[in-house]
Amino acid sequence: MINTYDEALNFIHGRTKFKKIPTLKRMRRFLDELGAPDKKINAIHIAGTNGKGSTLAFLRNIFQAEGKTVGSFTSPFLIKFNERISVNGVGISDAEILRLTQELYPTIAKLDAELPEGGPTEFEIVTAMMFKYFSEGHADIVLIEVGLGGLYDSTNVIMPKVSVITSIGWDHMHILGDTLPKIAFQKAGIIKKGVPVVVGGVDPDPLQVIIRQAQKMQSPIQILGKDFDVKDNGEKNWSQYFDFSSGDFHLDQVQTSLIGDYQTHNAALAIQAYIEYESLHQRKADPKIVKKGIESTRWAGRFERVSSNPTIVLDGAHNISAVNLIVQTLENDFSKGHVYILMGILADKQADKMVDKIATVPNASIVLTQFAGPGKRAAANPEKLEHKLETHPKNVSAIDDWHEAITEIKRKLTADDMLLITGSLYFISDVRKYLKQPDHNLK
Protein backbone atom coordinates (compact mmCIF):
# COMPACT_ATOMS: atom_id res chain seq x y z
CA MET A 1 0.00 0.00 0.00
CA ILE A 2 0.95 3.66 -0.45
CA ASN A 3 0.85 5.40 2.93
CA THR A 4 3.06 8.49 2.62
CA TYR A 5 3.77 11.32 0.17
CA ASP A 6 7.27 9.93 -0.51
CA GLU A 7 5.84 6.47 -1.24
CA ALA A 8 3.36 8.09 -3.64
CA LEU A 9 6.19 9.88 -5.50
CA ASN A 10 8.31 6.73 -5.60
CA PHE A 11 5.36 4.81 -7.05
CA ILE A 12 4.70 7.45 -9.74
CA HIS A 13 8.38 7.90 -10.71
CA GLY A 14 8.86 4.13 -10.75
CA ARG A 15 6.43 3.67 -13.63
CA THR A 16 7.54 3.23 -17.25
CA LYS A 17 8.12 6.50 -19.12
CA PHE A 18 7.04 5.40 -22.62
CA LYS A 19 5.32 2.48 -24.34
CA LYS A 20 6.48 1.15 -27.71
CA ILE A 21 3.32 2.13 -29.60
CA PRO A 22 1.91 5.65 -29.08
CA THR A 23 -1.84 5.57 -28.44
CA LEU A 24 -4.53 7.40 -26.50
CA LYS A 25 -6.64 4.24 -26.08
CA ARG A 26 -4.96 3.28 -22.79
CA MET A 27 -5.43 6.82 -21.42
CA ARG A 28 -9.09 6.84 -22.48
CA ARG A 29 -9.70 3.46 -20.83
CA PHE A 30 -7.90 4.63 -17.65
CA LEU A 31 -10.06 7.77 -17.40
CA ASP A 32 -13.29 5.92 -18.22
CA GLU A 33 -12.54 3.52 -15.37
CA LEU A 34 -12.23 6.62 -13.14
CA GLY A 35 -15.60 8.03 -14.29
CA ALA A 36 -14.24 10.22 -17.16
CA PRO A 37 -13.07 13.17 -15.00
CA ASP A 38 -11.67 14.94 -18.10
CA LYS A 39 -15.25 15.47 -19.31
CA LYS A 40 -16.11 17.47 -16.19
CA ILE A 41 -13.61 20.32 -16.57
CA ASN A 42 -13.52 23.63 -18.42
CA ALA A 43 -10.12 23.77 -20.16
CA ILE A 44 -7.75 25.54 -22.53
CA HIS A 45 -5.12 23.25 -24.14
CA ILE A 46 -1.63 24.59 -24.95
CA ALA A 47 0.94 22.89 -27.24
CA GLY A 48 4.17 24.09 -28.87
CA THR A 49 7.93 23.58 -28.90
CA ASN A 50 8.69 26.65 -26.78
CA GLY A 51 6.58 29.25 -25.01
CA LYS A 52 3.92 26.92 -23.53
CA GLY A 53 4.79 27.70 -19.92
CA SER A 54 5.01 31.47 -20.38
CA THR A 55 1.78 31.60 -22.43
CA LEU A 56 0.05 29.59 -19.72
CA ALA A 57 1.40 31.92 -17.00
CA PHE A 58 0.14 35.02 -18.83
CA LEU A 59 -3.26 33.42 -19.39
CA ARG A 60 -3.51 32.30 -15.77
CA ASN A 61 -2.84 35.81 -14.52
CA ILE A 62 -5.41 37.34 -16.90
CA PHE A 63 -8.09 34.95 -15.61
CA GLN A 64 -7.00 35.60 -12.03
CA ALA A 65 -7.26 39.37 -12.63
CA GLU A 66 -10.86 38.68 -13.66
CA GLY A 67 -11.44 36.96 -10.30
CA LYS A 68 -11.42 33.36 -11.51
CA THR A 69 -9.76 30.45 -9.70
CA VAL A 70 -7.34 28.98 -12.25
CA GLY A 71 -6.01 25.43 -12.32
CA SER A 72 -2.91 24.59 -14.31
CA PHE A 73 -1.04 21.49 -15.41
CA THR A 74 2.61 22.01 -16.36
CA SER A 75 5.83 20.02 -16.72
CA PRO A 76 8.51 19.64 -15.68
CA PHE A 77 8.45 21.14 -12.19
CA LEU A 78 11.16 23.56 -11.04
CA ILE A 79 11.36 22.97 -7.29
CA LYS A 80 8.73 20.42 -6.24
CA PHE A 81 6.64 17.78 -8.00
CA ASN A 82 3.38 19.31 -6.66
CA GLU A 83 3.86 22.37 -8.94
CA ARG A 84 2.69 20.26 -11.88
CA ILE A 85 -0.90 20.50 -10.60
CA SER A 86 -1.51 23.98 -9.25
CA VAL A 87 -4.29 26.37 -8.29
CA ASN A 88 -3.64 30.10 -8.87
CA GLY A 89 0.02 29.24 -9.34
CA VAL A 90 0.41 27.32 -6.06
CA GLY A 91 1.14 23.58 -6.20
CA ILE A 92 -1.37 21.28 -4.50
CA SER A 93 -0.50 19.85 -1.07
CA ASP A 94 1.46 16.69 -0.26
CA ALA A 95 -1.74 15.31 1.30
CA GLU A 96 -3.61 15.77 -2.00
CA ILE A 97 -0.83 14.05 -3.98
CA LEU A 98 -1.06 11.11 -1.55
CA ARG A 99 -4.87 11.00 -1.67
CA LEU A 100 -5.00 11.10 -5.48
CA THR A 101 -2.34 8.38 -5.81
CA GLN A 102 -4.22 6.17 -3.34
CA GLU A 103 -7.50 6.72 -5.20
CA LEU A 104 -5.96 5.89 -8.59
CA TYR A 105 -3.94 2.92 -7.36
CA PRO A 106 -6.67 0.20 -7.63
CA THR A 107 -7.44 1.22 -11.23
CA ILE A 108 -3.74 1.22 -12.13
CA ALA A 109 -3.34 -2.26 -10.62
CA LYS A 110 -6.39 -3.46 -12.59
CA LEU A 111 -5.00 -2.13 -15.89
CA ASP A 112 -1.56 -3.59 -15.10
CA ALA A 113 -3.25 -7.00 -14.86
CA GLU A 114 -5.57 -6.62 -17.86
CA LEU A 115 -3.66 -4.73 -20.57
CA PRO A 116 -1.14 -6.71 -22.70
CA GLU A 117 1.33 -3.77 -22.68
CA GLY A 118 0.79 -3.10 -18.96
CA GLY A 119 -1.03 -0.22 -17.29
CA PRO A 120 -0.51 3.54 -17.50
CA THR A 121 2.87 5.29 -17.77
CA GLU A 122 4.22 7.84 -15.30
CA PHE A 123 2.91 10.81 -17.30
CA GLU A 124 -0.48 9.18 -17.87
CA ILE A 125 -0.84 8.72 -14.10
CA VAL A 126 0.08 12.36 -13.35
CA THR A 127 -2.33 13.52 -16.10
CA ALA A 128 -5.13 11.38 -14.63
CA MET A 129 -4.40 12.81 -11.15
CA MET A 130 -4.81 16.30 -12.61
CA PHE A 131 -8.11 15.45 -14.33
CA LYS A 132 -9.42 13.75 -11.17
CA TYR A 133 -8.44 16.70 -8.96
CA PHE A 134 -9.97 19.40 -11.16
CA SER A 135 -13.11 17.35 -11.83
CA GLU A 136 -13.80 17.80 -8.10
CA GLY A 137 -14.40 21.53 -8.69
CA HIS A 138 -11.17 23.11 -7.41
CA ALA A 139 -10.94 25.61 -10.32
CA ASP A 140 -13.22 27.64 -12.61
CA ILE A 141 -10.93 27.03 -15.58
CA VAL A 142 -7.97 24.68 -16.15
CA LEU A 143 -4.98 25.52 -18.36
CA ILE A 144 -3.39 22.30 -19.62
CA GLU A 145 0.13 22.23 -21.05
CA VAL A 146 0.92 19.38 -23.44
CA GLY A 147 3.73 17.15 -22.14
CA LEU A 148 5.25 16.06 -25.46
CA GLY A 149 4.06 16.71 -29.01
CA GLY A 150 0.28 16.79 -29.05
CA LEU A 151 -1.38 14.08 -31.10
CA TYR A 152 -0.52 11.18 -28.75
CA ASP A 153 0.14 13.19 -25.59
CA SER A 154 -1.95 11.87 -22.71
CA THR A 155 -3.50 15.32 -22.18
CA ASN A 156 -5.00 15.10 -25.69
CA VAL A 157 -8.14 13.33 -24.50
CA ILE A 158 -9.44 16.75 -23.44
CA MET A 159 -12.15 18.59 -25.36
CA PRO A 160 -11.07 22.18 -24.59
CA LYS A 161 -12.85 25.49 -25.17
CA VAL A 162 -9.78 26.92 -26.97
CA SER A 163 -6.55 25.32 -28.28
CA VAL A 164 -3.22 27.16 -28.52
CA ILE A 165 -0.10 26.24 -30.56
CA THR A 166 2.72 28.56 -29.47
CA SER A 167 5.62 27.63 -31.79
CA ILE A 168 7.10 24.87 -33.94
CA GLY A 169 10.83 24.17 -33.55
CA TRP A 170 13.41 21.43 -33.24
CA ASP A 171 12.95 19.20 -30.17
CA HIS A 172 12.24 15.51 -29.47
CA MET A 173 12.86 14.69 -33.14
CA HIS A 174 13.36 10.98 -32.34
CA ILE A 175 9.68 10.91 -31.31
CA LEU A 176 7.99 13.74 -33.22
CA GLY A 177 9.75 13.59 -36.61
CA ASP A 178 12.81 14.99 -38.38
CA THR A 179 11.19 17.90 -40.26
CA LEU A 180 9.28 20.94 -39.00
CA PRO A 181 6.09 19.96 -40.94
CA LYS A 182 6.20 16.48 -39.28
CA ILE A 183 6.62 18.12 -35.85
CA ALA A 184 3.78 20.54 -36.72
CA PHE A 185 1.53 17.59 -37.60
CA GLN A 186 2.06 16.19 -34.09
CA LYS A 187 1.36 19.54 -32.43
CA ALA A 188 -1.70 20.14 -34.65
CA GLY A 189 -3.07 16.87 -33.26
CA ILE A 190 -4.57 18.92 -30.40
CA ILE A 191 -6.98 20.70 -32.78
CA LYS A 192 -10.51 19.44 -32.06
CA LYS A 193 -13.61 19.67 -34.23
CA GLY A 194 -15.06 23.18 -34.11
CA VAL A 195 -12.76 24.34 -31.28
CA PRO A 196 -11.03 27.69 -31.99
CA VAL A 197 -7.23 27.50 -32.29
CA VAL A 198 -4.75 30.33 -31.69
CA VAL A 199 -1.34 29.98 -33.42
CA GLY A 200 1.95 31.81 -32.79
CA GLY A 201 4.74 32.84 -35.17
CA VAL A 202 5.31 29.63 -37.17
CA ASP A 203 7.35 29.25 -40.39
CA PRO A 204 5.29 28.94 -43.62
CA ASP A 205 5.69 25.15 -44.23
CA PRO A 206 4.74 23.96 -40.73
CA LEU A 207 2.04 26.67 -40.59
CA GLN A 208 0.40 25.17 -43.70
CA VAL A 209 0.17 21.81 -41.88
CA ILE A 210 -1.62 23.50 -38.94
CA ILE A 211 -3.97 25.46 -41.24
CA ARG A 212 -4.89 22.28 -43.15
CA GLN A 213 -5.66 20.46 -39.90
CA ALA A 214 -7.80 23.38 -38.67
CA GLN A 215 -9.73 23.37 -41.97
CA LYS A 216 -10.21 19.61 -41.75
CA MET A 217 -11.57 19.95 -38.18
CA GLN A 218 -13.66 23.04 -39.13
CA SER A 219 -11.89 24.95 -36.37
CA PRO A 220 -11.72 28.76 -36.52
CA ILE A 221 -8.03 29.72 -36.60
CA GLN A 222 -6.34 32.95 -35.42
CA ILE A 223 -2.71 33.40 -36.52
CA LEU A 224 -0.24 35.87 -34.99
CA GLY A 225 0.82 38.43 -37.61
CA LYS A 226 -2.29 37.80 -39.71
CA ASP A 227 -5.39 37.92 -37.48
CA PHE A 228 -3.86 39.66 -34.47
CA ASP A 229 -0.61 41.57 -33.96
CA VAL A 230 2.01 42.43 -31.39
CA LYS A 231 4.63 45.18 -31.66
CA ASP A 232 7.64 44.80 -29.40
CA ASN A 233 8.80 48.13 -27.95
CA GLY A 234 12.00 46.80 -26.38
CA GLU A 235 13.38 46.24 -22.89
CA LYS A 236 13.92 48.92 -20.26
CA ASN A 237 14.99 48.40 -16.62
CA TRP A 238 14.23 44.66 -16.69
CA SER A 239 10.77 45.10 -18.16
CA GLN A 240 9.62 44.38 -21.72
CA TYR A 241 7.06 46.69 -23.41
CA PHE A 242 4.67 45.98 -26.27
CA ASP A 243 1.49 47.02 -28.12
CA PHE A 244 -1.25 44.51 -29.01
CA SER A 245 -4.12 44.67 -31.50
CA SER A 246 -6.86 42.23 -32.48
CA GLY A 247 -9.85 43.62 -34.42
CA ASP A 248 -11.18 46.51 -32.35
CA PHE A 249 -9.25 45.42 -29.23
CA HIS A 250 -6.05 47.46 -28.64
CA LEU A 251 -3.49 47.76 -25.86
CA ASP A 252 -0.57 50.21 -25.82
CA GLN A 253 2.69 50.09 -23.86
CA VAL A 254 1.87 46.93 -21.89
CA GLN A 255 4.65 46.10 -19.43
CA THR A 256 5.84 42.61 -18.52
CA SER A 257 8.67 41.41 -16.30
CA LEU A 258 9.24 38.43 -18.66
CA ILE A 259 12.23 39.59 -20.71
CA GLY A 260 12.75 38.93 -24.43
CA ASP A 261 10.73 40.00 -27.47
CA TYR A 262 9.58 36.36 -27.79
CA GLN A 263 7.77 36.88 -24.47
CA THR A 264 5.67 39.60 -26.11
CA HIS A 265 4.63 36.91 -28.65
CA ASN A 266 3.67 34.57 -25.80
CA ALA A 267 1.71 37.38 -24.13
CA ALA A 268 -0.08 38.08 -27.43
CA LEU A 269 -1.10 34.40 -27.72
CA ALA A 270 -2.45 34.46 -24.17
CA ILE A 271 -4.43 37.66 -24.85
CA GLN A 272 -5.89 36.26 -28.08
CA ALA A 273 -6.81 32.96 -26.37
CA TYR A 274 -8.56 34.98 -23.67
CA ILE A 275 -10.42 37.06 -26.30
CA GLU A 276 -11.54 33.81 -27.99
CA TYR A 277 -12.65 32.30 -24.67
CA GLU A 278 -14.64 35.43 -23.72
CA SER A 279 -16.23 35.53 -27.19
CA LEU A 280 -17.47 31.92 -26.75
CA HIS A 281 -19.31 33.16 -23.66
CA GLN A 282 -20.71 36.21 -25.50
CA ARG A 283 -18.44 38.55 -23.53
CA LYS A 284 -15.96 41.21 -24.66
CA ALA A 285 -12.46 41.07 -23.22
CA ASP A 286 -11.79 43.91 -20.78
CA PRO A 287 -8.52 45.75 -21.64
CA LYS A 288 -7.95 46.76 -17.98
CA ILE A 289 -8.17 43.12 -16.80
CA VAL A 290 -5.86 41.95 -19.60
CA LYS A 291 -3.26 44.63 -18.85
CA LYS A 292 -3.38 43.93 -15.10
CA GLY A 293 -2.96 40.18 -15.74
CA ILE A 294 0.02 40.60 -18.07
CA GLU A 295 1.76 43.08 -15.77
CA SER A 296 1.40 40.82 -12.72
CA THR A 297 2.81 37.71 -14.47
CA ARG A 298 5.97 36.11 -13.12
CA TRP A 299 7.40 32.86 -14.50
CA ALA A 300 10.38 31.24 -12.82
CA GLY A 301 13.23 30.10 -15.04
CA ARG A 302 12.43 32.23 -18.08
CA PHE A 303 15.22 34.81 -18.36
CA GLU A 304 14.61 35.29 -14.66
CA ARG A 305 16.91 37.62 -12.73
CA VAL A 306 17.58 35.91 -9.38
CA SER A 307 20.24 38.41 -8.29
CA SER A 308 20.94 42.03 -9.27
CA ASN A 309 24.25 42.40 -7.40
CA PRO A 310 25.89 40.57 -9.15
CA THR A 311 23.43 40.09 -12.05
CA ILE A 312 22.56 36.40 -12.29
CA VAL A 313 19.87 35.16 -14.68
CA LEU A 314 18.33 31.68 -15.02
CA ASP A 315 16.78 30.46 -18.26
CA GLY A 316 15.52 26.94 -18.94
CA ALA A 317 16.29 27.03 -22.70
CA HIS A 318 16.80 23.35 -23.61
CA ASN A 319 16.62 23.21 -27.40
CA ILE A 320 18.01 25.06 -30.41
CA SER A 321 14.83 27.14 -30.94
CA ALA A 322 14.97 28.45 -27.35
CA VAL A 323 18.72 29.19 -27.64
CA ASN A 324 18.04 31.21 -30.83
CA LEU A 325 15.62 33.35 -28.79
CA ILE A 326 18.19 33.88 -26.00
CA VAL A 327 20.82 34.96 -28.56
CA GLN A 328 18.33 37.44 -30.02
CA THR A 329 17.56 38.85 -26.54
CA LEU A 330 21.25 39.17 -25.60
CA GLU A 331 22.14 40.91 -28.87
CA ASN A 332 19.13 43.28 -28.72
CA ASP A 333 19.16 44.24 -25.05
CA PHE A 334 22.39 43.16 -23.34
CA SER A 335 25.27 44.20 -25.59
CA LYS A 336 26.82 46.35 -22.82
CA GLY A 337 29.21 44.55 -20.44
CA HIS A 338 30.23 40.90 -20.66
CA VAL A 339 27.88 37.91 -20.54
CA TYR A 340 29.23 34.74 -18.89
CA ILE A 341 27.05 31.80 -19.93
CA LEU A 342 27.13 28.59 -17.87
CA MET A 343 25.50 25.71 -19.78
CA GLY A 344 24.46 22.27 -18.58
CA ILE A 345 22.64 20.31 -21.31
CA LEU A 346 21.05 16.85 -21.42
CA ALA A 347 22.89 14.42 -23.72
CA ASP A 348 19.73 13.64 -25.73
CA LYS A 349 19.44 17.27 -26.92
CA GLN A 350 21.22 18.99 -29.87
CA ALA A 351 23.91 20.13 -27.44
CA ASP A 352 26.60 20.94 -30.03
CA LYS A 353 24.21 23.06 -32.14
CA MET A 354 23.00 24.89 -29.00
CA VAL A 355 26.57 25.77 -27.95
CA ASP A 356 27.67 26.70 -31.50
CA LYS A 357 24.73 29.13 -31.70
CA ILE A 358 25.17 30.77 -28.28
CA ALA A 359 28.93 31.15 -28.96
CA THR A 360 28.04 33.64 -31.74
CA VAL A 361 27.11 36.29 -29.12
CA PRO A 362 30.02 38.77 -29.51
CA ASN A 363 30.31 39.76 -25.83
CA ALA A 364 29.90 36.27 -24.33
CA SER A 365 32.10 33.59 -22.75
CA ILE A 366 30.59 30.11 -22.50
CA VAL A 367 31.47 27.61 -19.80
CA LEU A 368 30.18 24.05 -20.34
CA THR A 369 29.41 21.97 -17.28
CA GLN A 370 27.48 18.88 -16.26
CA PHE A 371 24.79 18.02 -13.73
CA ALA A 372 22.86 14.99 -12.49
CA GLY A 373 20.15 14.47 -15.13
CA PRO A 374 16.64 13.31 -14.18
CA GLY A 375 16.14 9.53 -13.88
CA LYS A 376 18.31 7.74 -16.41
CA ARG A 377 18.83 10.80 -18.66
CA ALA A 378 22.48 11.83 -18.63
CA ALA A 379 23.92 15.30 -19.08
CA ALA A 380 26.23 15.95 -22.02
CA ASN A 381 29.92 15.57 -21.10
CA PRO A 382 31.48 19.08 -21.26
CA GLU A 383 34.92 18.02 -22.59
CA LYS A 384 33.47 15.75 -25.29
CA LEU A 385 31.00 18.46 -26.24
CA GLU A 386 33.76 21.06 -26.50
CA HIS A 387 35.69 18.83 -28.96
CA LYS A 388 32.54 18.15 -31.01
CA LEU A 389 31.80 21.81 -31.76
CA GLU A 390 31.86 22.67 -35.46
CA THR A 391 33.73 25.96 -35.22
CA HIS A 392 35.75 25.32 -32.02
CA PRO A 393 34.97 28.87 -30.84
CA LYS A 394 37.66 30.43 -28.63
CA ASN A 395 35.06 31.72 -26.14
CA VAL A 396 34.03 28.20 -25.02
CA SER A 397 35.65 26.32 -22.11
CA ALA A 398 34.64 23.48 -19.75
CA ILE A 399 34.42 23.09 -15.97
CA ASP A 400 32.96 19.76 -14.83
CA ASP A 401 31.71 20.90 -11.43
CA TRP A 402 28.99 23.54 -11.86
CA HIS A 403 29.30 24.76 -8.23
CA GLU A 404 32.96 25.50 -8.88
CA ALA A 405 32.07 27.15 -12.21
CA ILE A 406 29.58 29.53 -10.53
CA THR A 407 32.15 30.50 -7.85
CA GLU A 408 34.82 31.11 -10.48
CA ILE A 409 32.57 33.20 -12.75
CA LYS A 410 31.16 35.26 -9.86
CA ARG A 411 34.72 36.39 -9.01
CA LYS A 412 35.06 37.90 -12.50
CA LEU A 413 31.72 39.77 -12.64
CA THR A 414 31.76 43.57 -12.75
CA ALA A 415 28.69 45.82 -12.33
CA ASP A 416 27.95 45.74 -16.08
CA ASP A 417 28.36 41.97 -16.48
CA MET A 418 25.84 39.13 -16.29
CA LEU A 419 26.01 35.44 -15.41
CA LEU A 420 23.40 33.57 -17.46
CA ILE A 421 22.81 29.95 -16.41
CA THR A 422 20.97 27.86 -18.98
CA GLY A 423 20.75 24.65 -21.06
CA SER A 424 18.11 22.65 -19.19
CA LEU A 425 15.13 23.24 -16.88
CA TYR A 426 16.43 20.39 -14.72
CA PHE A 427 19.83 22.08 -14.45
CA ILE A 428 18.46 25.49 -13.48
CA SER A 429 16.20 23.81 -10.92
CA ASP A 430 19.34 22.43 -9.20
CA VAL A 431 21.10 25.81 -9.50
CA ARG A 432 18.10 27.70 -8.06
CA LYS A 433 18.09 25.50 -4.92
CA TYR A 434 21.84 26.05 -4.55
CA LEU A 435 21.68 29.84 -4.99
CA LYS A 436 18.83 30.15 -2.48
CA GLN A 437 21.15 28.96 0.31
CA PRO A 438 21.81 31.81 2.80
CA ASP A 439 25.61 31.80 2.38
CA HIS A 440 25.26 33.09 -1.22
CA ASN A 441 23.87 36.40 0.09
CA LEU A 442 22.49 37.40 -3.32
CA LYS A 443 20.63 40.69 -3.74
Side-chain angles (χ1 to χ4, degrees), residues 214-357:
Q215 288 168 341
K216 184 179 164 188
M217 302 305 281
Q218 298 172 310
S219 297
I221 185 168
Q222 299 286 315
I223 301 165
L224 178 60
K226 180 171 173 278
D227 305 294
F228 62 104
D229 273 299
V230 66
K231 176 176 172 276
D232 181 66
N233 297 329
E235 178 270 342
K236 189 180 177 189
N237 298 326
W238 288 89
S239 284
Q240 199 80 22
Y241 293 84
F242 67 92
D243 303 335
F244 174 87
S245 60
S246 176
D248 58 2
F249 184 97
H250 299 279
L251 290 172
D252 294 325
Q253 280 299 92
V254 186
Q255 178 184 354
T256 172
S257 66
L258 274 66
I259 303 295
D261 50 8
Y262 58 94
Q263 291 295 9
T264 64
H265 291 145
N266 295 332
L269 292 174
I271 297 168
Q272 188 62 36
Y274 177 71
I275 290 170
E276 294 297 317
Y277 181 85
E278 291 295 278
S279 170
L280 291 173
H281 295 84
Q282 282 76 51
R283 293 190 297 260
K284 279 206 156 192
D286 181 337
K288 286 195 191 75
I289 283 174
V290 171
K291 206 164 187 179
K292 184 183 171 190
I294 297 294
E295 289 178 355
S296 63
T297 301
R298 305 285 178 272
W299 192 235
R302 273 61 174 193
F303 217 85
E304 177 197 11
R305 184 171 59 164
V306 291
S307 167
S308 51
N309 184 23
T311 301
I312 301 178
V313 174
L314 303 182
D315 193 288
H318 57 278
N319 54 44
I320 189 65
S321 308
V323 166
N324 285 338
L325 296 174
I326 283 188
V327 168
Q328 205 177 317
T329 301
L330 292 173
E331 289 178 345
N332 289 349
D333 301 316
F334 298 95
S335 54
K336 186 184 172 194
H338 198 78
V339 183
Y340 294 89
I341 302 170
L342 180 62
M343 292 189 88
I345 309 170
L346 286 170
D348 56 9
K349 299 291 178 179
Q350 292 178 298
D352 50 339
K353 287 188 171 64
M354 288 165 69
V355 179
D356 271 324
K357 179 64 185 181

Side-chain angles (χ1 to χ4, degrees), residues 108-291:
I108 297 165
K110 182 184 178 191
L111 295 178
D112 278 344
E114 291 180 7
L115 295 176
E117 77 275 23
T121 64
E122 176 182 6
F123 190 69
E124 286 168 347
I125 291 169
V126 183
T127 306
M129 287 167 72
M130 176 271 295
F131 283 135
K132 177 85 173 64
Y133 183 76
F134 289 123
S135 72
E136 297 165 354
H138 301 289
D140 301 314
I141 183 164
V142 184
L143 310 177
I144 299 173
E145 184 186 313
V146 165
L148 174 61
L151 183 61
Y152 294 114
D153 188 76
S154 60
T155 63
N156 201 30
V157 292
I158 192 68
M159 180 58 82
K161 297 293 186 288
V162 180
S163 304
V164 181
I165 299 172
T166 58
S167 63
I168 302 295
W170 300 103
D171 202 9
H172 302 291
M173 284 92 74
H174 57 299
I175 297 169
L176 302 180
D178 56 2
T179 69
L180 290 181
K182 283 180 188 172
I183 293 170
F185 178 75
Q186 293 291 326
K187 309 279 184 195
I190 72 162
I191 299 172
K192 304 295 192 312
K193 194 165 183 63
V195 174
V197 57
V198 175
V199 182
V202 173
D203 290 343
D205 288 349
L207 181 60
Q208 280 312 309
V209 173
I210 296 169
I211 291 170
R212 275 200 302 275
Q213 185 63 12
Q215 288 168 341
K216 184 179 164 188
M217 302 305 281
Q218 298 172 310
S219 297
I221 185 168
Q222 299 286 315
I223 301 165
L224 178 60
K226 180 171 173 278
D227 305 294
F228 62 104
D229 273 299
V230 66
K231 176 176 172 276
D232 181 66
N233 297 329
E235 178 270 342
K236 189 180 177 189
N237 298 326
W238 288 89
S239 284
Q240 199 80 22
Y241 293 84
F242 67 92
D243 303 335
F244 174 87
S245 60
S246 176
D248 58 2
F249 184 97
H250 299 279
L251 290 172
D252 294 325
Q253 280 299 92
V254 186
Q255 178 184 354
T256 172
S257 66
L258 274 66
I259 303 295
D261 50 8
Y262 58 94
Q263 291 295 9
T264 64
H265 291 145
N266 295 332
L269 292 174
I271 297 168
Q272 188 62 36
Y274 177 71
I275 290 170
E276 294 297 317
Y277 181 85
E278 291 295 278
S279 170
L280 291 173
H281 295 84
Q282 282 76 51
R283 293 190 297 260
K284 279 206 156 192
D286 181 337
K288 286 195 191 75
I289 283 174
V290 171
K291 206 164 187 179

Side-chain angles (χ1 to χ4, degrees), residues 1-9 11-12 97-98 101-102 105:
M1 261 313 282
I2 297 165
N3 297 310
T4 67
Y5 170 77
D6 286 338
E7 285 174 4
L9 285 196
F11 170 70
I12 294 163
I97 296 286
L98 175 58
T101 310
Q102 287 172 333
Y105 183 79

